[in-house]
Amino acid sequence: MTPGRRSSTFTRLLRHGFTDPSGAERLLEEAGLGAVRDDPVLLEALGATADPDLALDGMVRLLEAQPDPTARRELLDTLTASKPLRDRLLGVLGASAALAEHLARHVGDWQALVTYEPRDLHRGVAEFERGLAEAADPVALRVAYRRCLLSIAARDVCGTIDIEETAAELADLATATLRRALALACADAPGDAGMCRLAVIAMGKCGGHELNYVSDVDVIFVAEGVEGADEGKALQAATRLASHMMRICSETTVEGSIWPVDANLRPEGRNGPLVRTLSSHVAYYQRWAKTWEFQALLKARPVAGDLALGEEYVAALGPLVWHAAERENFVADVQKMRRRVVENIPVAEVDRELKLGPGGLRDVEFAVQLLQLVHGRADASLHSGSTLEALRSLAAGGYVGRADATQLEEAYRFLRSMEHRIQLFRLRRTHLVPEAEADQRRLGRSLGLRADPVAELNREWKRHAAVVRRLHEKLFYRPLLDAVAQLAPGETRLSAEAARERLVALGYADPAAALRHLEALASGVSRKAAIQRTLLPVLLGWFADSADPDAGLLNFRNVSDALGKTPWYLRLLRDEGAAAENLARVLSAGRLAPDLLMRAPEAVALLGDGDGGGLEPRPRAHLEQEVLAAVGRADGAEQAVAAARGVRRRELFRTAATDIVGSYGTEAHPVGADQGALVDLVGGAVSDLTAATLAGTLRAVVRDGWGDTLPTRFTMIGMGRFGGHELGYGSDADVLFVHEPQEGADEREASDAANRVVSEMRRLLQRPSTDPPLLIDADLRPEGKSGPLVRTLKSYEAYYRRWSLVWESQALLRAEPVAGDEDLGRRFVSLIDPLRYPEQGLGDEAVREIRRLKARMESERLPRGADPKLHTKIGPGGLSDVEWTVQLMQLRHGYEVPGLRTTRTREALRAAREAGLISAEDAATLDEAWVLATRVRNAVMLVRGRAGDTFPSHTRELAAVGRYLGYGPGHVGDMLDAYRRTARRARTVVDSLFYEG
């Protein structure tokens, strides 16, 4: 051969798919397989395998392992002459290093692949039982099991059987293995076997006749004593037999293990007895079982032991399975379990997870099982443990669209084929797509992707996963629309009763009304109806994730009726992914946000990502600029204030939407860990908006009554939560009004003007309108309701110098200018600073007076019949407790600790901690309680549309508050317990610092 030129053998090997042709050529020479090298039939067969290099290596090892030259020649001759053997054996060797290892250790097992009979095409339990019959111990059982597995793998890789048949045969082999293992256990303990009837119930993929190559085999054991036997002793005997059977299959021997037998799906899981009587099983499922346990029973199938007892088990529990969908929060429980599975996947693996990841096998299985449980009570054709069989039945019954079912089945088959070939390579339990290029190349070729295996594999995998992600929830919701819309020819309609069942399972209280809304939204041939038909399956899922799906759907219909002919609205929902989900969350979270939206539906644009959209609250300067500009364009004070209130309504909606989306979380933006930041954002946004509204109203009133110049300087001082930047949605604006006559102005005229300004502002801001009113509360002024509404700066100075009480100093801790003359506001702050941050701190008598006031407030102001432990404002550990404790520290130490000179509660608490006035642990306890109480108040307002200081009594409203706070369906009790616990811990700190410190 000319130096530098490749041999013809090298070229042929390269052409046949060998990645290391030099190594293959060397191997053929060293093994004395020159005949193979020159045999085009064998080379062609090697090149047809998933990994020609691996197949050749396995073939050489098998030949070398033969006991003598005669056996070696027999194998080589049979390989050359028999195409069925050649394809099967080389196909297995090129796909499975583990089975190649088995063949090299058990040199005669290749003979199992020689026969090619019709019965060999679809082997069942009986054939596998014959194949395992001679196994007399666990080691022999493992060898016989691998020999049977070899025949399945050979027909699988050659395409003789498809993925569904492969999975069924693997389940049948598992059935035969369990029976043989139980027989061995009984042979070892005939006394135990004679005392009891023991049935083995297959669960999971084995029960569903869709097992993987390597998988835990899930089982449940049920036993009864034979006639005359003591039940307790019979159960003990059955437990010993079951344990022994599990060990026979699971324990590692010189031949490895078969697979783990997992009995954790039994009642009470690992904490429950391994074996129960039938009556004990029934009692458990009737009384204690969770939703997922009924879902697991879908695949229950007797496989070994006393099959008659096994059938009794299935017959007894079957009716309970098909009533599971009637359980409260059924759909939410199933979907929450699916989300929990995804959340538990390590971040580094989620993109390679075939089974559990988004768009994976579990998505298909959960969606199909959910539909089976909802509709299986009335339709026995859905009673199948097989995912693909059930999917076909769902399509035939109209529960799933035929096109969706076809796409989903195709995706499921591809993903299961990937899973099988990944596991077959090493016979290891894994669902992760390999990262190495060589592994991906072998995997792609094994699936028939030969042109560019790695690129084609990743493309097809991502395509099928995307189909699953798109369809797995649509599968549940789409037919609800088909039930009320025109269908394509050949499609089967979901019956009205089936649609009603599905809506009830989703949590709709009035399914008839929901169907009417769907019909109105989805019917017709307009572009609007077409886009809504596309959106509604997803929207229905988001509505169902709330506490009031009925309200969500009704509100969506109302918004759609108002905006459906507006081009930008349909574009927004169709093209901006976040907008549709944000809208669904907002419309189903309570009354406040939908009420604000329906007064001006065009605010939907805020929920998108485009121009003018975005949920981030706007800074105060921008708000004030917009409000003042709107006021400047208006004719007259009434029109001007109406414009300012319109801006306020829109921005209140923006803030409420931000709050809801941040609390519920979305696919793009999960719930954040720091809920205090969301509380600060809402409090700051509402306070800034209130200040901007007051500034605009003041400008409108002054301009309308006096032109550009009022005869007196005028400013407003925010008090309470307003001054503290902590306003809630339903809070009044607590203010003080301060004026100072202009130089040369008549004092009476100036005072009259200031009072007229206040009176007109209050009238215009409370005037009946489609916009929410803004109530101004001036009761914190000197002398309270008995004192003048407006005072001059000098009057405030004289009052505070002579008459000021300690509670007024405390109230002034929250004072901050919010609108009007800035210089006058600064001078008012300079006036009150010595009162709220006294140089000598607070005397003992003043401290005692504050404590007396607090105690009196607790005893007198709690509403009749209210549970003090759940009152967020003045209950133990509520807002008042935390705020008065912080304010007492401010009054005592504000002069010497500059950080305490703030109107904001959380900021002052941080400063107190940094100054060593409170421990980090106690500060965290108070902060947690304050944030939680504030969130509850915000939630109550969002849900009910009116303010409240305690949890709602109405069940659905209480559930909605829980959903806002992160508690799923059925966990309202946990929410109330958590609130009481948090408040109790805070009260302990308050008792120590406020009452005793």
Side-chain angles (χ1 to χ4, degrees):
M1 188 174 69
T2 306
R5 292 196 59 178
R6 298 291 190 187
S7 70
S8 60
T9 303
F10 180 96
T11 305
R12 280 202 308 274
L13 291 170
L14 191 62
R15 191 170 62 247
H16 281 98
F18 285 83
T19 56
D20 183 12
S22 297
E25 188 175 14
R26 193 164 51 250
L27 188 61
L28 286 168
E29 289 172 359
E30 291 172 358
L33 294 175
V36 174
R37 183 184 59 201
D38 300 324
D39 186 338
V41 173
L42 269 177
L43 279 183
E44 190 77 34
L46 285 166
T49 65
D51 187 338
D53 300 85
L54 184 67
L56 176 59
D57 180 72
M59 185 181 79
V60 169
R61 291 179 62 203
L62 179 56
L63 286 166
E64 290 175 344
Q66 294 305 306
D68 52 56
T70 303
R72 190 178 185 204
R73 173 50 54 191
E74 180 189 359
L75 171 57
L76 202 51
D77 289 347
T78 310
L79 263 178
T80 307
S82 171
K83 177 174 170 50
L85 173 69
R86 186 167 61 246
D87 291 344
R88 290 178 175 195
L89 181 56
L90 295 183
V92 168
L93 294 175
S96 178
L99 287 177
E101 179 71 29
H102 171 85
L103 285 167
R105 285 203 315 274
H106 302 281
V107 295
D109 277 7
W110 65 271
Q111 304 266 8
L113 303 180
V114 174
T115 56
Y116 192 81
E117 301 173 7
R119 69 173 187 179
D120 204 31
L121 293 177
H122 302 291
R123 305 186 74 181
V125 176
E127 286 80 12
F128 291 126
E129 283 190 290
R130 283 195 293 272
L132 302 177
E134 295 182 8
D137 57 61
V139 173
L141 182 60
R142 280 152 178 70
V143 175
Y145 174 83
R146 291 288 171 92
R147 191 181 304 120
C148 293
L149 190 67
L150 190 63
S151 72
I152 298 175
R155 285 172 294 116
D156 176 18
V157 298
C158 291
T160 308
I161 53 177
D162 67 12
I163 184 65
E164 194 171 4
E165 292 166 326
T166 301
E169 287 198 16
L170 288 167
D172 285 341
L173 175 56
T175 297
T177 306
L178 289 170
R179 290 179 182 180
R180 188 62 195 154
L182 183 57
L184 292 176
C186 289
D188 279 355
D192 285 345
M195 289 182 64
C196 63
R197 300 166 60 204
L198 174 64
V200 183
I201 312 296
M203 306 288 285
K205 281 189 158 43
C206 183
H209 238 80
E210 50 188 16
L211 198 59
N212 296 330
Y213 275 104
V214 187
S215 176
D216 291 358
V217 171
D218 296 309
V219 298
I220 285 178
F221 296 104
V222 57
E224 299 288 346
V226 298
E227 189 173 348
D230 177 79
E231 184 179 283
K233 291 181 179 178
L235 280 178
Q236 291 173 1
T239 301
R240 288 191 291 271
L241 290 174
S243 300
H244 191 184
M245 186 205 80
M246 292 173 69
R247 289 196 303 274
I248 288 172
C249 297
S250 305
E251 284 182 349
T252 302
T253 69
V254 291
E255 288 292 338
S257 68
I258 302 176
W259 18 246
V261 177
D262 188 341
N264 289 335
L265 291 178
R266 66 186 184 270
E268 300 180 75
R270 295 183 182 183
N271 298 320
L274 182 63
V275 182
R276 287 175 183 257
T277 62
L278 178 56
S279 60
S280 176
H281 276 287
V282 172
Y284 174 83
Y285 282 102
Q286 286 177 333
R287 191 168 183 189
W288 304 110
K290 297 181 174 64
T291 297
W292 70 264
E293 292 178 282
F294 292 105
Q295 188 179 353
L297 282 174
L298 272 173
K299 297 184 180 294
R301 179 173 64 93
V303 291
D306 192 314
L307 296 182
L309 177 58
E311 293 295 348
E312 289 179 47
Y313 172 91
V314 171
L317 294 182
L320 301 180
V321 173
W322 303 113
H323 285 276
E326 298 168 7
R327 295 162 65 91
E328 188 178 1
N329 306 316
F330 163 71
V331 171
D333 284 348
V334 174
Q335 292 175 332
K336 183 170 67 176
M337 185 165 60
R338 172 69 191 115
R339 285 194 294 270
R340 192 182 302 132
V341 168
V342 175
E343 289 164 1
N344 289 335
I345 302 171
V347 175
E349 295 180 359
V350 71
D351 291 334
R352 297 192 295 126
E353 177 58 76
L354 260 184
K355 178 181 178 182
L356 304 178
L361 294 163
R362 189 57 62 86
D363 275 349
V364 182
E365 293 159 359
F366 263 58
V368 169
Q369 289 165 20
L370 191 58
L371 289 168
Q372 284 181 277
L373 289 168
V374 169
H375 299 295
R377 180 174 55 128
D379 189 344
S381 72
L382 304 181
H383 296 189
S384 172
S386 162
T387 300
L388 290 177
E389 279 184 18
L391 182 56
R392 288 190 288 268
S393 297
L394 287 165
Y399 306 105
V400 173
R402 289 185 187 277
D404 289 347
T406 299
Q407 287 188 65
L408 209 60
E409 177 168 349
E410 181 186 343
Y412 188 72
R413 284 176 175 274
F414 183 84
L415 296 174
R416 281 301 300 272
S417 297
M418 280 185 71
E419 181 186 43
H420 274 201
R421 300 301 163 79
I422 291 168
Q423 293 183 349
L424 182 59
F425 178 52
R426 296 283 186 197
L427 286 182
R428 288 180 184 163
R429 183 173 179 265
T430 179
H431 309 287
L432 292 178
V433 177
E435 295 180 288
E437 185 176 336
D439 291 330
Q440 290 193 9
R441 180 177 184 273
R442 180 183 58 257
L443 179 56
R445 283 174 59 90
S446 76
L447 296 170
L449 308 173
R450 297 300 172 98
D452 185 353
V454 174
E456 288 181 73
L457 172 71
N458 282 284
R459 185 167 56 248
E460 286 298 293
W461 169 33
K462 298 302 181 189
R463 180 175 72 84
H464 286 297
V467 166
V468 172
R469 287 195 72 172
R470 179 172 57 85
L471 288 180
H472 95 273
E473 286 203 13
K474 176 186 173 185
L475 202 68
F476 194 81
Y477 303 110
R478 180 78 209 189
L480 289 168
L481 303 192
D482 294 341
V484 296
Q486 290 185 342
L487 300 182
E491 280 288 314
T492 307
R493 185 187 301 275
L494 189 69
S495 71
E497 179 59 24
R500 191 198 71 79
E501 286 177 346
R502 197 172 296 191
L503 286 164
V504 169
L506 281 167
Y508 285 82
D510 188 352
L515 281 172
R516 288 196 298 274
H517 298 324
L518 290 175
E519 184 172 12
L521 288 162
S523 296
V525 294
S526 66
R527 179 170 172 269
K528 168 188 170 185
I531 290 176
Q532 289 179 163
R533 280 196 294 272
T534 302
L535 287 170
L536 274 166
V538 184
L539 290 171
L540 285 169
W542 287 325
F543 294 150
D545 192 36
S546 74
D548 195 351
D550 298 81
L553 183 56
L554 172 61
N555 289 329
F556 178 69
R557 180 181 175 182
N558 291 337
V559 170
S560 196
D561 287 347
L563 295 177
K565 294 181 180 178
T566 312
W568 64 260
Y569 168 70
L570 296 173
R571 268 200 312 274
L572 176 80
L573 295 185
R574 183 192 64 201
D575 299 337
E576 295 198 27
E581 185 173 5
N582 290 344
L583 179 61
R585 298 299 184 201
V586 166
L587 292 180
S588 56
R591 294 180 183 172
L592 178 66
D595 285 351
L596 292 170
L597 180 60
M598 289 314 302
R599 289 168 182 170
E602 65 275 5
V604 165
L606 300 176
L607 301 172
D609 303 318
D611 295 340
L615 291 176
E616 191 68 30
R618 300 169 66 206
R620 177 172 168 180
H622 292 184
L623 290 171
E624 197 164 314
Q625 184 180 15
E626 181 185 0
V627 168
L628 293 176
V631 166
R633 292 190 296 269
D635 293 328
E638 288 193 356
Q639 190 182 100
V641 175
R645 288 175 66 180
V647 173
R648 177 172 177 262
R649 179 208 61 244
R650 185 197 68 212
E651 294 302 320
L652 273 176
F653 172 74
R654 189 198 303 265
T655 304
T658 303
D659 193 4
I660 290 165
V661 170
S663 297
Y664 272 65
T666 64
E667 188 172 328
H669 300 287
V671 178
D674 183 8
Q675 293 303 307
L678 189 58
V679 164
D680 291 343
L681 182 144
V682 170
V686 178
S687 301
D688 287 346
L689 179 55
T690 301
T693 305
L694 290 176
T697 304
L698 176 61
R699 172 76 60 88
V701 168
V702 170
R703 188 189 64 182
D704 202 50
W706 293 271
D708 292 331
T709 307
L710 194 65
T712 185
R713 292 191 180 94
F714 185 89
T715 195
M716 284 174 273
I717 308 297
M719 300 290 284
R721 292 188 168 279
F722 186 17
H725 298 258
E726 296 160 0
L727 280 181
Y729 300 107
S731 301
D732 296 347
D734 289 319
V735 296
L736 299 178
F737 297 107
V738 186
H739 81 106
E740 184 178 67
Q742 298 278 7
E743 191 172 339
D746 178 76
E747 287 195 10
R748 178 174 291 279
E749 181 187 349
S751 178
D752 288 347
N755 277 283
R756 280 172 54 201
V757 165
V758 171
S759 176
E760 186 66 0
M761 285 182 68
R762 298 176 89 171
R763 182 185 75 82
L764 291 173
L765 287 171
Q766 297 175 35
R767 190 165 167 262
S769 161
T770 57
D771 299 316
L774 175 57
L775 303 179
I776 297 176
D777 187 339
D779 289 353
L780 290 176
R781 65 187 183 269
E783 301 178 76
K785 294 180 180 179
S786 304
L789 195 60
V790 188
R791 286 177 182 262
T792 64
L793 184 63
K794 287 182 179 179
S795 174
Y796 275 104
E797 182 180 11
Y799 174 84
Y800 287 136
R801 185 174 62 250
R802 293 188 62 186
W803 307 109
S804 175
L805 301 173
V806 67
W807 73 263
E808 291 175 300
S809 296
Q810 183 182 352
L812 289 170
L813 285 168
R814 314 293 293 275
E816 180 175 289
V818 291
D821 189 291
E822 292 181 5
D823 177 66
L824 183 58
R826 279 193 293 271
R827 285 188 285 136
F828 180 84
V829 168
S830 297
L831 166 68
I832 64 172
D833 272 352
L835 287 170
R836 56 184 180 174
Y837 311 126
E839 184 175 355
Q840 303 302 321
L842 214 55
D844 290 344
E845 181 54 37
V847 170
R848 282 193 292 272
E849 176 62 18
I850 288 175
R851 288 172 176 164
R852 277 195 297 270
L853 287 170
K854 176 76 168 69
R856 194 173 79 193
M857 183 181 72
E858 288 179 13
S859 63
E860 295 178 0
R861 297 175 108 185
L862 190 72
R864 186 187 302 275
D867 181 352
K869 293 180 180 177
L870 293 175
H871 199 280
T872 60
K873 187 173 182 181
I874 56 179
L879 295 170
S880 173
D881 266 3
V882 177
E883 289 166 2
W884 282 58
T885 301
V886 171
Q887 288 161 13
L888 183 58
M889 287 189 281
Q890 288 180 284
L891 289 166
R892 281 174 151 177
H893 307 286
Y895 182 83
E896 61 198 42
V897 180
L900 290 173
R901 297 173 208 164
T902 175
T903 61
R904 306 178 189 220
T905 302
R906 298 187 74 209
E907 201 172 285
L909 186 56
R910 279 193 293 272
R913 185 197 67 213
E914 289 166 3
L917 301 175
I918 183 174
S919 70
E921 182 181 355
D922 286 350
T925 298
L926 294 183
D927 186 69
E928 180 187 8
W930 190 89
V931 167
L932 179 57
T934 303
R935 293 200 75 216
V936 171
R937 294 179 96 212
N938 286 346
V940 169
M941 184 65 187
L942 286 168
V943 168
R944 301 174 67 195
R946 60 182 189 274
D949 292 319
T950 190
F951 290 88
S953 56
H954 189 279
T955 304
R956 184 155 277 197
E957 290 179 347
L958 188 60
V961 170
R963 185 66 187 83
Y964 171 91
L965 294 175
Y967 292 89
H971 291 277
V972 163
D974 295 338
M975 170 184 70
L976 298 177
D977 287 345
Y979 181 83
R980 291 187 188 98
R981 190 165 53 248
T982 302
R984 188 168 58 247
R985 287 200 301 264
R987 180 63 183 209
T988 301
V989 175
V990 170
D991 285 341
S992 172
L993 294 177
F994 183 83
Y995 286 110
E996 299 168 11

